[in-house]
Amino acid sequence: MKIVIINGPNLNFLGTREPEIYGRQTLKEIESKIQKYAEQQKVVCTFFQSNSEGELIDRIQQAHIDKLDGIVLNPAAYTHYSYAIHDAVKSVDVPTVEVHLSAIHARESFRKDSVVAPACIGQISGFGATGYLLAIQALKEVKNKGEN
């Protein structure tokens, strides 16, 4: 199974950006944790982060071209207003799980709505970096269900 982990704007500043909300782990540390878990699960992971909406869309589309089995997507602030990312997820035949480190539904009112989530097979929020691992597990189960 091959998947891509896509992280949106400002996640490159994890560890220093509002650690009381997002934790003290850097994105590299989180990616290392994900990589170890993925190897145990026999999942091949690649990682991508961008602060640019267009680059995120290009990477989502590349997942389709590469015939990947899944996308784990943290669209960050784009969650709340990027219909372009929503449309990109809808345009590819790649199961996508939206992930957020913080509990977005327990935060400011503007963070509670995701325009991306309806294009995804599910959303995980509030579990910190563990949310990425849960998303990998969900994608494995979706793939296994499709093979039975």
Side-chain angles (χ1 to χ4, degrees), residues 14 25-34 101 129 132:
L14 287 175
Q25 287 184 303
T26 66
L27 183 58
K28 290 292 179 204
E29 290 169 338
I30 291 171
E31 288 174 350
S32 178
K33 177 180 180 174
I34 295 167
L101 296 165
Y132 292 95

Side-chain angles (χ1 to χ4, degrees), residues 123-145:
Q123 181 192 70
I124 300 168
S125 73
F127 295 99
T130 301
Y132 292 95
L133 311 184
L134 296 170
I136 291 169
Q137 186 60 41
L139 288 169
K140 278 187 67 177
E141 290 185 23
V142 166
K143 181 170 173 52
N144 290 338
K145 189 184 291 186

Side-chain angles (χ1 to χ4, degrees), residues 50-132:
S50 178
N51 294 320
S52 168
E53 184 179 35
E55 289 180 5
L56 296 169
I57 291 165
D58 289 344
R59 189 61 190 96
I60 291 165
Q61 292 173 350
Q62 189 64 45
H64 171 78
I65 293 165
D66 293 343
K67 297 181 177 19
L68 297 185
D69 299 302
I71 298 170
V72 176
L73 173 63
N74 185 339
Y78 289 128
T79 299
H80 316 294
Y81 64 88
S82 180
Y83 293 102
I85 291 176
H86 170 276
D87 290 349
V89 172
K90 291 281 285 188
S91 73
V92 300
D93 189 23
V94 183
T96 302
V97 177
E98 182 181 309
V99 171
H100 298 281
L101 296 165
S102 68
I104 62 172
H105 301 286
R107 296 187 58 201
E108 302 95 334
S109 61
F110 77 90
R111 294 189 193 275
K112 295 178 183 185
D113 293 324
S114 171
V115 300
V116 177
C120 298
I121 62 170
Q123 181 192 70
I124 300 168
S125 73
F127 295 99
T130 301
Y132 292 95

